[in-house]
Structure formats: C-alpha cells, structure tokens
C-alpha cells in the first residue's frame, strides 16, 4: 500500500516544485495576447475556461493509454511503477508542457510548423510525416478498441449490438461530426463531463484496491523485488524473457511519456485565454494521467493473487480489456463494473476524434488550406474512409506501428523543446537529458523489433547505451559552444 502513496506523492511533488522551475525556463508572459484572442474564427480558435481546458486536455491525452499500457507493463513487476513516476515527472510532463508552450507561442500551430521554425524544412517534413502517421494510427486504434469492447459486452450478445462492424460505423459517424464541427459544438460541452468520469472511475478503483486487494505489494515486497530476483539487473527481462529495455518503455507510454500528447497541444493552445494557464492545463493533465497509470499498474499487480501467470493468462485470453472487466467487476460490483467498461469504451473515442481533428489541423497548417466547410469535408471524408478499411487489419500490427511512432515523436518533440530552450539561453537540460534517454530507447526498439531491423534482444541495451553516451557528449559540446558564442 505504501508504494501507491509514494508514487502519487512523487507525482504531486513534481507538479508542486519541479513544474514552476520548468515554467521559469519557458518564458511565459501573462500580459501578451494569446492566439485565441488574435484569431477567434468560431471553429478552432474559441475561448475556453481553464478548468474546462484542463479536463478536455486530460481526456484528449488519456483514452485507454494509461489503462491498457500499465496493465501490460505490470507483467514486468514493480519496475513499471518506477518508470511511470520518473518518466512522467522528468520526461512526459516536460514534453507535454513544452508542446503547449511552443504551440501557444506560435499562434496555435501544429508540430511540423513549429519544427520548421526552430530547425529547418527537412525536420519539418520529418515531423509532418510522423505526426500524420501517428495521428492516423491513434485514430484507427481508437476505433478498433472501443468497438471491440462494446461488441463483446455480455448484455449485447445475441443482438445487432454484438456486431463489431456496427460499432465501427457508429464510431466513425461520430468522428466525422467531431472532426468537422466547431470545437464548441461537441468537445467543449461534453468532454469536461467525460474527464470527470475518468477521475471518478479511477478514484473508485484506487479506493477499492487499497481497501481490499489480495496481492497489493507492500514496501517489503517492493524492496525484495530488487534485492532478490532482480538484484543483478534493474532492467532484467520479465518471466517470459521479454527485455525490460526497451519494451517496458514502449509498452507504457501514456502515463510516462507519449508523443501523441504533443499532437493534441494545438487544440487547446488555440483556446487558452492567457499563457499563465499553460502549466496547470498541460503539465497538470499529464500529472493526472500519471496517477491513472499508477492505479492501473497496481491493479495489474494487486488484483491477481497468483501473480504473473494469472495476469498473463487473462491477457492472452482477452487482452487488457478483459483485465479491466475483471478488476472492475471484482472491486466495484456489477454497477461499478458496467460503469468502468462503458467508460473505457468512451475514453478512447474521445481521444480518437481529437486525433482525427488534430490530423485535419496539421494538414491545414502544412498546406495553408482555408477553413471553409467544403475544405473540411474534403479532408475529413477521405481520412475517415481510409480509416475504415484500416480497421480490417490485424490490431496487433497497427498497435506496434502506433507504439513506435509514438515514442519517436515524443523524442523529436523533446529535441524541439531543447532547441527552443537553447535559443532562449535558459536551462535546456530539463528537455535535453530526457531527449537523449528517449533517443536511446527509440533506437534500441527499432533495432530489435520485428517491425524494424529484428536484431537480437541482447543488442538492445548496448545500442541504447551507446546512443545515450554519444548524445550526452554531443550535448555537452553544444552547450559549451553555445556559452562561448553567448560570451
């Protein structure tokens, strides 16, 4: 039980003490006009109250990522909690914060446009390709996962509601409207309610686990994990031999660090009425997602008294969705279980629609397309049509490409934030060190993954270590050169 409170405390302390230091480096100016006040056009640049903005941002970035990822990450044991907390405070929250800062400083523009400003047209093209690819994969994943969950609910069996294609078409229809309509027609009205629903559901699961969990790890269990079985290697493989480096870091992205979050930054950056709200909205939303991730990582450990084998068996039988169903019904009863399953079906939908909306905004910015209803239709129809046919592919294949592009994009955004801080002459290490580590993880993964070079898993750690060391050396050289030029 103490582990849970330590994790939550560290996340809150990170926001309380570290985020103000991060904000100090960013050059926030509450006196300047925001993009919303300069470009209010009634479609994307619409004023939103900061509390609503926080709830919408929280819901946009959350989806099922901080639920499914930590459940899968629980297969690696308590080290999953270590990664969530450290990754969130030092990496993910900084990543999300500077995504918001750079967007609001650049008229609410999307990532490729920002990359073109701070680097060059080549990096802009690279960011455009991977941003569009990630947003498309996220949208497809968040069609397939809620459709699968809804069609498999016991109460729907024997009816047309048990047909997966039916739910795919329903969700696509909603995505079409949400992508097309002004932001204040659906998103600002309903998403704060759904954001509160996620907070309530997560709180209920956490309280239930703390009151009555058969296998909730205590402090002694946590220490024993590292002193005994894993004393020889903090990044030891899990019982199936899957390497912790880099797979754990790719498995748990939402909650720790996720490139997808940066694609959502322009949506809210176009709606904030003051720069002072960037920290509570972006850094705060990521901290809350870290809490959600910790709850579900603990659920993956605590709800299975037989340990790894029981969790692995349930994941093999029905994936993370079956684990959510088991945890919700076990600890919340029938009513709570239904609420949790419906919520887990709703959350990815609310991220999927904003993924497609962000894809529209990214293309609009890249090609300077006027925001007429005709042009929005010309973008939305082909995007969602292709997405429908993509849902016919193997979900695991889509997920692997999503996971890699997600990590690659987060790494790129951290380097972009590093350049932003270099240009300001402030403390760039808050972004550059996480960028180096993320680069090591990303390179290790693509070298050893089946979708990459498929090298031996034993090569993953040394390749990643070399990238980290070389990156740090280059950073120090760049830092010293910058100081000499400034002097």
């Amino acid at each position: 039980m103490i582990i849970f409170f330590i994790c939550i405390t560290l996340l809150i302390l990170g926001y309380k003490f570290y985020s103000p230091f991060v904000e100090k480096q960013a050059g926030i100016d509450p006196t300047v006009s925001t993009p919303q006040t300069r470009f209010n056009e009634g479609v994307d640049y619409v004023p939103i109250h900061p509390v609503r903005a926080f709830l919408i941002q929280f819901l946009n970035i959350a989806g099922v990522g901080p639920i499914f990822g930590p459940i899968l990450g629980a297969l690696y044991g308590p080290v999953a909690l270590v990664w969530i907390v450290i990754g969130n405070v030092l990496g993910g929250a900084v990543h999300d914060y500077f995504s918001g800062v750079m967007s609001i400083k650049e008229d609410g523009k999307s990532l490729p446009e920002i990359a073109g400003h701070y680097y060059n047209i080549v990096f802009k093209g690279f960011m455009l390709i991977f941003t569009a690819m990630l947003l498309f994969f996220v949208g497809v994943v968040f069609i397939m996962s809620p459709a699968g969950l809804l069609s498999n609910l016991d109460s729907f069996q024997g009816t047309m509601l048990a047909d997966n294609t039916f739910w795919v078409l329903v969700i696509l229809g909603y995505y079409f409207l949400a992508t097309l309509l002004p932001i204040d027609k659906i998103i600002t009205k309903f998403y704060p309610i759904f954001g509160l629903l996620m907070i309530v559901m997560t709180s209920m699961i956490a309280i239930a686990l703390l009151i009555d969990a058969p296998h909730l790890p205590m402090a002694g269990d946590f220490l024993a994990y590292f002193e005994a079985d894993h004393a020889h290697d903090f990044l030891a493989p899990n019982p199936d031999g899957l390497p912790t480096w880099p797979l754990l870091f790719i498995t748990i992205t939402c909650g720790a660090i996720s490139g997808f979050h940066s694609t959502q930054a322009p949506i809210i950056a176009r709606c904030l009425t003051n720069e002072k709200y960037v920290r509570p909205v972006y850094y705060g939303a990521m901290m809350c997602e870290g809490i959600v991730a910790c709850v579900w990582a603990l659920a993956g450990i605590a709800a299975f008294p037989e340990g790894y084998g029981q969790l692995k068996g349930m994941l093999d039988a029905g994936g993370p969705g079956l684990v959510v169903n088991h945890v919700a019904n076990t600890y919340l009863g029938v009513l709570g279980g239904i609420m949790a399953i419906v919520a887990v079906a709703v959350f990815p939908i609310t991220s999927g629609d904003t993924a497609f909306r962000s894809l529209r905004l990214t293309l609009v910015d890249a090609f300077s397309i006027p925001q007429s209803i005709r042009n929005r239709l010309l973008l939305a129809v082909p995007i969602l049509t292709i997405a429908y046919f993509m849902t016919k592919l193997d979900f695991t294949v889509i997920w692997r490409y999503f996971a890699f592009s997600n990590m690659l994009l987060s790494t790129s955004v951290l380097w972009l934030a590093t350049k932003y801080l270099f240009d300001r002459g402030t403390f760039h290490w808050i972004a550059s060190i996480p960028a180096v580590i993320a680069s090591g993880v990303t390179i290790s993964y693509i070298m050893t993954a089946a979708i990459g070079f498929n090298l031996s898993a034993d090569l993953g750690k040394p390749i990643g270590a070399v990238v980290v060391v070389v990156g740090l050396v280059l950073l120090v050289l760049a830092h010293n050169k910058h100081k000499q030029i400034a002097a």
Side-chain angles (χ1 to χ4, degrees), residues 113-136:
E113 306 308 303
I114 299 171
H117 180 151
Y118 286 100
Y119 280 101
N120 51 47
I121 193 170
V122 175
F123 194 59
K124 174 183 176 178
F126 169 83
M127 291 289 281
L128 177 60
I129 291 171
F130 275 93
T131 299
M133 183 173 74
L134 175 60
L135 286 169
F136 194 79

Side-chain angles (χ1 to χ4, degrees), residues 55-334:
L55 289 170
I56 294 169
Q57 174 68 11
F58 172 57
L59 193 68
N60 284 353
I61 66 175
V64 291
I67 299 175
F68 281 13
I71 287 173
L72 293 167
L75 291 172
Y76 294 86
V79 70
L81 292 164
V82 177
W83 163 235
I84 290 169
V85 174
I86 294 177
N88 186 295
V89 174
L90 300 180
V94 172
H95 166 278
D96 286 24
Y97 175 72
F98 279 105
S99 298
V101 168
M102 291 185 290
S103 185
I104 203 168
K105 293 287 189 183
E106 295 291 322
D107 296 335
K109 293 289 181 63
S110 302
L111 283 173
E113 306 308 303
I114 299 171
H117 180 151
Y118 286 100
Y119 280 101
N120 51 47
I121 193 170
V122 175
F123 194 59
K124 174 183 176 178
F126 169 83
M127 291 289 281
L128 177 60
I129 291 171
F130 275 93
T131 299
M133 183 173 74
L134 175 60
L135 286 169
F136 194 79
F137 284 138
V138 168
V140 173
V141 164
F142 287 166
I143 295 170
M144 298 170 75
S145 59
L149 282 168
L150 289 168
S151 62
N152 284 300
L153 287 177
D154 291 339
S155 56
F156 291 163
Q157 300 311 301
T159 70
M160 65 177 294
L161 299 179
D163 181 8
N164 187 75
T165 301
F166 169 80
W167 287 109
V168 167
L169 292 174
V170 169
I171 293 168
L172 273 170
Y174 167 72
Y175 283 179
F176 177 76
L177 291 175
T179 303
L180 200 64
L181 294 174
I183 193 170
D184 60 346
K185 300 303 180 185
I186 295 177
I187 292 176
T188 62
K189 283 183 169 59
F190 298 106
Y191 282 28
I193 298 172
F194 293 142
L196 286 172
L197 177 61
M198 173 169 261
I199 293 171
V200 170
M201 186 199 79
T202 303
S203 300
M204 290 173 64
I205 292 290
I207 293 169
L209 284 170
L210 294 173
I211 291 174
D212 180 27
H215 194 57
L216 187 63
M218 305 299 289
D221 300 324
F222 189 76
L223 293 174
Y225 175 84
F226 296 110
E227 292 175 354
D229 295 340
H230 299 278
H232 64 287
D233 188 356
F234 179 74
L235 297 178
N238 76 358
D240 275 347
L242 296 176
T244 298
W245 176 287
L247 288 186
L248 173 64
F249 305 91
I250 299 294
T251 301
I252 304 179
T253 53
C254 291
I257 180 170
S258 170
F260 169 65
H261 297 184
S262 63
T263 68
Q264 303 301 287
I267 293 178
I268 298 301
R270 300 179 187 216
C271 300
L272 291 180
T273 56
N274 195 300
E275 286 191 4
K276 68 182 181 181
Y277 299 134
V278 174
R279 180 168 68 95
V281 167
Y282 289 95
Y283 201 111
M286 185 54 185
M287 180 203 68
C288 288
E289 190 185 70
I291 293 174
V292 174
C294 285
V295 169
W296 284 100
L298 274 176
I301 297 171
F304 297 91
E306 297 176 21
Y308 176 89
Q310 187 182 9
L311 173 60
K312 182 67 164 54
M314 188 168 290
L315 285 170
D316 289 342
L322 186 60
V323 175
V324 173
N325 188 40
H326 167 75
V327 172
N329 281 286
T330 301
Y331 294 103
L332 301 181
V334 176

Side-chain angles (χ1 to χ4, degrees), residues 136 139-145 147 164-165 168-169 172 356 384-395 398:
F136 194 79
V140 173
V141 164
F142 287 166
I143 295 170
M144 298 170 75
S145 59
N164 187 75
T165 301
V168 167
L169 292 174
L172 273 170
F356 285 121
L384 294 173
T385 300
I386 297 171
Y388 169 75
F389 288 105
M390 290 286 287
T391 63
K392 305 299 181 182
L393 300 178
D394 184 354
F395 179 83
I398 298 294

